[in-house]
Amino acid sequence: SLGGRTVNEAGLDVPADADVRWDPNRKAVRHARLSLPILYTDETILVLDKPAGLLAVASAPGLEDEDTAFARVQEYVRRLSPRRPYAGIVHRLDRDTSGALAFALSPEARGALRNLFREHRMDRRYVALVRGVPTADEGTIDLPIAEAYESGRRHVARPGEPSRPAITHYRVRERFAAGALLDVKLETGRQHQIRLHLAHQGWPIVGDPVYGVPDPALGRQFLHATRLAFDHPFTGERVEVDSPLPGELARHLERRIDQHHAAP
């Protein structure tokens, strides 16, 4: 145990003064494997690395048999703790957005994590490759998103239209001839928020088939949830989880950089 909680992560770096204890009489932890990479886990929280193409949750009620990240976590939990299995949805990622996705492993953890999201105390970072080049090095997009959801699309709310606040912060990491690589931070987390906000500014995400133009060479949208960071709701310790850029995005970005440098 580390600081009073069981830790299953091999190779975990701990401070020199950490309270680490081993009890040879403790009941063995059941062995179970999740079919997705685990970025962080303890007895109450699980953060996995979701690949593009996998739904986070079922696309509609009654379709629980769909292959989703949530279904895989549920199966993992049933194997890990068959007597009291619990997995709770905390937030979501679009099907073709990859990266860090958190789940709660107890009802109390779900409530606590959802409060962190609601109170904007969950640090969520993304990286996006966009068409179009922002003139400013950084900025904030503060545009409410309409509650209406039509034909798989959201839209920026018109005056008087029922809507919810939506705030997106961005910073330009690198500029290219006809695009840019952005670091994006969410203050709110509405469905399609980053994709819609950036497209509304004239910078649609590369490969986005809804708010931009599909990219057959890439086969997905270039949007990746690279970081989740928060104060653990029960221990108070800072949890910082990073998801590396997937291979297909890294290769696409490298080609873009090579083309930019080769241009006269």
Side-chain angles (χ1 to χ4, degrees), residues 25 46 164:
N25 298 314
L46 171 69
R164 303 184 70 184

Side-chain angles (χ1 to χ4, degrees), residues 20-247:
V20 180
R21 303 190 183 193
W22 176 67
D23 180 359
N25 298 314
R26 175 180 291 173
K27 186 177 179 180
V29 175
R30 288 180 175 269
H31 291 287
R33 297 190 66 181
L34 181 62
S35 59
L36 297 170
I38 295 176
L39 300 173
Y40 173 86
T41 187
D42 60 25
E43 295 174 316
T44 58
I45 298 170
L46 171 69
V47 184
L48 56 80
D49 203 357
K50 187 189 86 65
L54 179 67
L55 287 166
V57 299
S59 56
L63 298 179
E64 284 74 18
D65 289 339
E66 285 184 306
D67 182 22
T68 66
F70 181 49
R72 296 192 193 189
V73 170
Q74 287 179 306
E75 178 61 26
Y76 170 73
V77 170
R78 280 194 290 267
R79 293 175 181 271
L80 189 66
S81 181
R83 291 187 178 182
R84 293 187 300 171
Y86 179 87
I89 299 167
V90 179
H91 66 128
R92 306 182 184 194
L93 293 176
D94 295 335
R95 181 198 289 266
D96 285 330
T97 300
S98 52
L101 180 64
F103 292 90
L105 301 183
S106 73
E108 296 78 13
R110 183 172 186 265
L113 289 174
R114 287 175 69 86
N115 281 338
L116 291 180
F117 277 98
R118 190 178 300 113
E119 297 166 3
H120 311 311
R121 292 191 289 129
M122 183 71 73
D123 187 2
R124 288 171 286 174
R125 308 283 177 129
Y126 294 73
V127 61
L129 182 65
V130 300
R131 299 181 186 276
V133 184
T135 55
D137 290 338
E138 59 185 40
T140 295
I141 305 169
D142 185 352
L143 294 171
I145 294 176
E147 293 183 359
Y149 182 69
E150 300 174 354
S151 302
R153 294 177 62 94
R154 296 281 183 189
H155 65 270
V156 171
R158 294 178 285 272
E161 188 176 14
S163 64
R164 303 184 70 184
I167 300 173
T168 305
H169 307 283
Y170 69 89
R171 181 179 65 83
V172 178
R173 185 189 297 186
E174 188 165 358
R175 289 182 171 86
F176 306 107
L181 185 67
L182 306 182
D183 290 321
V184 181
K185 180 180 178 181
L186 281 180
E187 187 166 323
T188 58
R190 313 304 178 202
Q191 186 182 38
H192 296 185
Q193 178 176 319
I194 295 175
R195 297 162 61 192
L196 175 57
H197 270 179
L198 295 181
H200 192 269
Q201 300 300 112
W203 319 317
I205 292 174
V206 169
D208 186 346
V210 177
Y211 304 101
V213 179
D215 188 328
L218 181 57
R220 57 165 292 192
Q221 61 202 24
F222 199 117
L223 181 61
H224 180 68
T226 187
R227 163 165 278 224
L228 278 178
F230 55 95
D231 293 332
H232 197 291
F234 303 126
T235 68
E237 297 176 1
R238 188 66 175 171
V239 177
E240 297 182 347
V241 179
D242 293 304
S243 170
L245 200 65

